[in-house]
Amino acid sequence: INPYPSDSQIQAFKDMLPEEVNISLHGSYSITVTSIDPKKIQYSKANLTKSLKIGNILNASHLTFHCGSFGPKTKDHADKVKKVLIEWEKSRIERNFTTKLAPEVAGKKKGFADIFTLIDIAEQVGCLITWDISHDFARGGQVSTEKGILKRLEALDRLNLSSKNRLPVHLSGIVVSKGGEKFHTLLGKGDGIPWKFILTILREQNYLGKIN
């Protein structure tokens, strides 16, 4: 069974939308960057390519996807992910896909990866990241203080963000456990992510025009 829509179905959906709508995509959970099995990486790339093709038809700005997680005995996590993403980014460019890659900050502590690790990788790969602020909060990131947020914005500036190269951002309520994210919920619900405070800092730093 092919879970992906046909080109005609995608185009029909696009025709229903107002021109000014900004579209982004979330990749299949079958995509993983962290597997040590070459066949799974190949399968993941095939699924990513199908999603990017959809993105091209829809003129989607970016494709958010989860990197996955590593086992406790796996080393050189960042180098492994960077190598895979460099290959995927090269393939994206060769196929003239305009939808940008945007691996997402993981919500679970065992997931790959925290925001600073992803920024380091994205800077070298030439892609974006998706800053899921709720995930950042759930894994213990310091997004409840001005200092913590400003530290993140300073690091994100290395990705050359602008009104034409916007950072994908997710923000919701979230319930947290020892391992990090348990599940998402509505803003104002869950374990107290200070969303109004965060948005205020982003506005004060003139960052709202740089995010999606």
Side-chain angles (χ1 to χ4, degrees):
I1 298 175
N2 181 8
Y4 293 93
S6 66
D7 290 359
S8 60
Q9 288 174 321
I10 300 165
Q11 187 62 51
F13 172 73
K14 181 182 179 182
D15 292 342
M16 295 170 61
L17 300 175
E19 289 185 7
E20 64 273 13
V21 170
N22 187 354
I23 299 173
S24 62
L25 299 180
H26 196 298
S28 164
Y29 288 94
S30 61
I31 296 173
T32 177
V33 193
T34 55
S35 177
I36 59 175
D37 183 347
K39 290 184 178 179
K40 287 185 178 180
I41 293 296
Q42 185 177 9
Y43 178 71
S44 295
K45 182 181 178 182
N47 279 283
L48 181 99
T49 300
K50 290 176 182 177
S51 296
L52 289 174
K53 182 180 178 182
I54 294 171
N56 244 33
I57 297 173
L58 295 175
N59 294 325
S61 59
H62 65 270
L63 173 67
T64 292
F65 58 93
H66 296 173
C67 290
S69 58
F70 282 101
K73 296 182 180 180
T74 308
K75 298 181 180 180
D76 301 323
H77 298 177
D79 286 341
K80 291 179 185 298
V81 169
K82 182 177 70 174
K83 183 178 179 180
V84 173
L85 288 181
I86 286 174
E87 180 189 341
W88 289 3
E89 175 66 5
K90 180 181 178 183
S91 175
R92 181 190 74 84
I93 293 171
E94 289 175 347
R95 292 170 179 263
N96 294 316
F97 290 145
T98 57
T99 301
K100 298 176 181 178
L101 302 182
E104 184 174 8
V105 172
K108 297 187 183 298
K109 293 179 180 178
K110 68 178 182 180
F112 191 91
D114 66 85
I115 184 172
F116 298 107
T117 300
L118 282 186
I119 290 171
D120 287 344
I121 291 173
E123 186 180 20
Q124 297 175 69
V125 172
C127 64
L128 291 168
I129 73 163
T130 298
W131 183 22
D132 189 315
I133 299 175
S134 305
H135 284 177
D136 197 355
F137 173 81
R139 63 184 294 130
Q142 299 299 310
V143 296
S144 299
T145 67
E146 182 175 6
K147 181 179 179 180
I149 297 171
L150 293 179
K151 182 179 179 181
R152 282 156 173 75
L153 298 186
E154 182 180 5
L156 286 165
D157 282 340
R158 288 157 40 200
L159 302 183
N160 298 314
L161 303 172
S162 68
S163 60
K164 295 183 179 180
N165 187 44
R166 292 173 180 260
L167 175 76
V169 169
H170 296 174
L171 181 59
S172 69
I174 197 162
V175 175
V176 179
S177 66
K178 284 184 181 180
E181 171 198 4
K182 192 172 183 182
F183 59 85
H184 287 271
T185 185
L186 300 175
L187 277 174
K189 305 291 185 181
D191 287 326
I193 183 169
W195 63 275
K196 292 182 180 179
F197 170 74
I198 293 168
L199 290 177
T200 297
I201 299 298
L202 293 180
R203 184 185 63 213
E204 290 175 349
Q205 297 299 314
N206 296 315
Y207 235 81
L208 295 182
K210 300 179 181 179
I211 65 176
N212 254 335

